[in-house]
Amino acid sequence: MKHSKQIRAMVLSAMFLALGLVLPFFTGQIPQIGGMLLPMHIPAFLCGLICGWQFGVVVGFVMPLLRMVLFGMPPLMTAVAMAFELAAYAGIAGFLYSRSRWQCVVALYRSLIAAMIGGRLVWAAVRVVMTGVASVPFTWQIFLTEALVNAIPGIILQLIFIPALMVALDRTGMVHFRRERAEVRAAGK
């Protein structure tokens, strides 16, 4: 049983990685749109939530670097910062969601919001390190603009699309919100 879950997680992780490589083509023709909709973030989040934080971290880290090697975009410095950012998103969201007492929409939102904050802080830390290494300027204003202001449409899209997709997957039986713990405890008392 555990072996089949591992295989399922690996196959889904590969699908999320492929999705992360392809999605930017839909927004990449206009870089400002891609920078606002954040197309690689959604597959990273979903991988962490559905496959587990360990798979999510690997997929999130590899996705922008592989896309840079294969297609030349994003640029190297952006890809490195994004690799850590997406790994943090997937890892934090997947870890918090898997440890939630109940896996439901509320837990999903808590995990997503915490991951969005944590991922942006990781991204900022990497950018600060890159400032010292590569003399790439990074100021508080750049952080606010790139991590928050420009990302608002993508954040809204993620907060609407990801929970809606997870609810749809729960209804189809492909992914289950975990309710058993609460039901078992209530039945046992």
Side-chain angles (χ1 to χ4, degrees):
M1 182 73 160
K2 186 177 180 180
H3 185 65
S4 65
K5 284 184 181 183
Q6 289 283 349
I7 292 173
R8 179 179 183 267
M10 283 191 278
V11 169
L12 287 174
S13 295
M15 181 196 70
F16 288 124
L17 179 61
L19 194 59
L21 296 176
V22 171
L23 275 180
F25 284 120
F26 295 109
T27 60
Q29 306 312 317
I30 305 169
Q32 295 80 10
I33 301 291
M36 289 187 332
L37 294 181
L38 314 169
M40 285 197 284
H41 293 200
I42 291 173
F45 276 123
L46 289 172
C47 187
L49 293 167
I50 294 171
C51 301
W53 69 269
Q54 300 93 333
F55 287 100
V57 166
V58 172
V59 168
F61 190 81
V62 169
M63 189 184 310
L65 299 173
L66 184 59
R67 191 161 202 297
M68 184 220 30
V69 168
L70 293 175
F71 307 116
M73 287 301 288
L76 177 62
M77 298 310 245
T78 304
V80 170
M82 281 182 70
F84 287 97
E85 176 189 21
L86 294 181
Y89 285 151
I92 294 168
F95 181 81
L96 292 176
Y97 186 66
S98 70
R99 299 291 189 270
S100 296
R101 185 171 178 191
W102 297 286
Q103 289 182 345
C104 59
V105 175
V106 173
L108 188 58
Y109 274 110
R110 287 181 186 155
S111 301
L112 285 173
I113 291 169
M116 287 178 186
I117 293 167
R120 279 169 174 73
L121 292 175
V122 167
W123 173 79
V126 171
R127 290 288 308 264
V128 166
V129 169
M130 288 171 40
T131 297
V133 173
S135 300
V136 178
F138 188 70
T139 63
W140 182 249
Q141 184 178 5
I142 291 172
F143 171 73
L144 289 177
T145 302
E146 290 184 21
L148 300 175
V149 176
N150 291 349
I152 287 174
I155 292 168
I156 292 169
L157 176 67
Q158 292 162 12
L159 290 174
I160 293 171
F161 179 74
I162 293 171
L165 180 63
M166 292 292 285
V167 167
L169 291 173
D170 177 59
R171 288 187 179 160
T172 62
M174 295 181 76
V175 172
H176 297 286
F177 287 142
R178 190 177 61 220
R179 298 179 189 98
E180 299 87 42
R181 285 184 185 172
E183 292 169 1
V184 168
R185 286 185 186 145
K189 289 185 178 180

